[in-house]
Amino acid sequence: GAVVSQHPSWVICKSGTSVKIECRSLDFQATTMFWYRQFPKQSLMLMATSNEGSKATYEQGVEKDKFLINHASLTLSTLTVTSAHPEDSSFYICSANSYWAGSYNEQFFGPGTRLTVL
Amino acid sequence: TQLLEQSPQFLSIQEGENLTVYCNSSSVFSSLQWYRQEPGEGPVLLVTVVTGGEVKKLKRLTFQFGDARKDSSLHITAAQPGDTGLYLCAGAGGGGADGLTFGKGTHLIIQP
């Protein structure tokens, strides 16, 4: 249980184009999903918190107009990188909370999406 | 802003040796999680510690949460090449909907 998928696994795009990344919780409902970014040899940095049916909460320094997040259902959140530039090239990882009796904010991560902007 | 200092950042040891990874903070966390990440993949949850002083064992891995819930350690006994990977500690705040604060990670290499 508690499986999170991401699509696509990797994407290469031209500078100036937009890219959409999907994050799905496959066997549970996730009220809250999180988006992280990871640069090579570095740790994960939280970008935003996505709540179903409401606006996402962005971390300081993350441009909300550049990284559009939509959480349309309890099993799907999408991250759209608008007008992508080479410096946006990174590994984007989503996670979802899975709550049940006795659990403590355990997050389950997707496999990540490798974005390369040429 | 909550920060987690993880050390060492890189560690290369021989098979059979023991090692300890530390995760320290000046902040109190409601829970702390340890993950392992393989290249090109998402992190996989190893354990969650919640209670101050708590010790959890997962085969050759022993996880401890500090009494004040500000620090944690991961001890691996008789390390094996299959233990090679990136180990991440992550702290959760008091709110259930909080994103995790990650340490910088420990790149572990176990040489046969």
Side-chain angles (χ1 to χ4, degrees):
Chain A
V3 178
V4 177
S5 71
Q6 277 183 245
H7 178 82
S9 300
W10 56 269
V11 56
I12 301 173
C13 68
K14 292 183 178 180
S15 184
T17 61
S18 295
V19 175
K20 180 185 283 189
I21 303 171
E22 292 185 350
C23 177
R24 293 181 185 273
S25 57
L26 298 184
D27 51 2
F28 65 100
Q29 293 183 330
T31 307
T32 305
M33 289 183 172
F34 304 88
W35 287 95
Y36 296 83
R37 182 166 53 183
Q38 185 177 32
F39 291 107
K41 303 293 185 183
Q42 296 187 23
S43 189
L44 283 74
M45 294 295 294
L46 179 66
M47 298 175 66
T49 301
S50 169
N51 293 296
E52 185 264 338
S54 63
K55 291 183 178 180
T57 302
Y58 291 81
E59 295 299 300
Q60 192 172 7
V62 178
E63 300 176 55
K64 62 179 182 180
D65 294 329
K66 182 169 184 62
F67 298 100
L68 301 179
I69 291 173
N70 184 274
H71 196 153
S73 75
L74 287 173
T75 59
L76 172 65
S77 176
T78 60
L79 168 68
T80 301
V81 183
T82 62
S83 187
H85 288 95
E87 56 266 30
D88 297 324
S89 299
S90 187
F91 194 49
Y92 291 86
I93 309 174
C94 72
S95 72
N97 269 26
S98 177
Y99 271 96
W100 64 91
S103 71
Y104 299 91
N105 192 23
E106 291 183 339
Q107 294 185 23
F108 297 89
F109 286 81
T113 296
R114 172 74 60 193
L115 170 63
T116 301
V117 184
L118 303 177
Chain B
T1 303
Q2 296 177 313
L3 294 174
L4 272 172
E5 297 289 338
Q6 192 171 339
S7 62
Q9 214 168 334
F10 296 94
L11 182 61
S12 179
I13 61 174
Q14 294 294 126
E15 180 178 2
E17 294 183 9
N18 302 331
L19 67 109
T20 303
V21 178
Y22 299 93
C23 193
N24 298 293
S25 176
S26 58
S27 303
V28 175
F29 292 97
S30 61
S31 66
L32 197 140
Q33 295 159 26
W34 286 91
Y35 292 85
R36 177 177 163 181
Q37 185 181 23
E38 300 293 336
E41 299 179 11
V44 174
L45 179 66
L46 295 175
V47 78
T48 300
V49 286
V50 179
T51 307
E54 182 177 8
V55 177
K56 282 190 174 179
K57 290 194 173 185
L58 188 65
K59 296 184 180 179
R60 293 176 294 100
L61 279 60
T62 301
F63 305 86
Q64 186 164 6
F65 202 13
D67 291 340
R69 290 188 290 138
K70 293 182 179 181
D71 54 86
S72 181
S73 64
L74 157 61
H75 183 79
I76 300 180
T77 303
Q80 299 177 2
D83 296 328
T84 294
L86 174 64
Y87 290 83
L88 297 157
C89 65
D98 290 345
L100 296 174
T101 299
F102 277 86
K104 290 192 174 183
T106 296
H107 295 266
L108 176 63
I109 297 175
I110 308 300
Q111 300 177 17

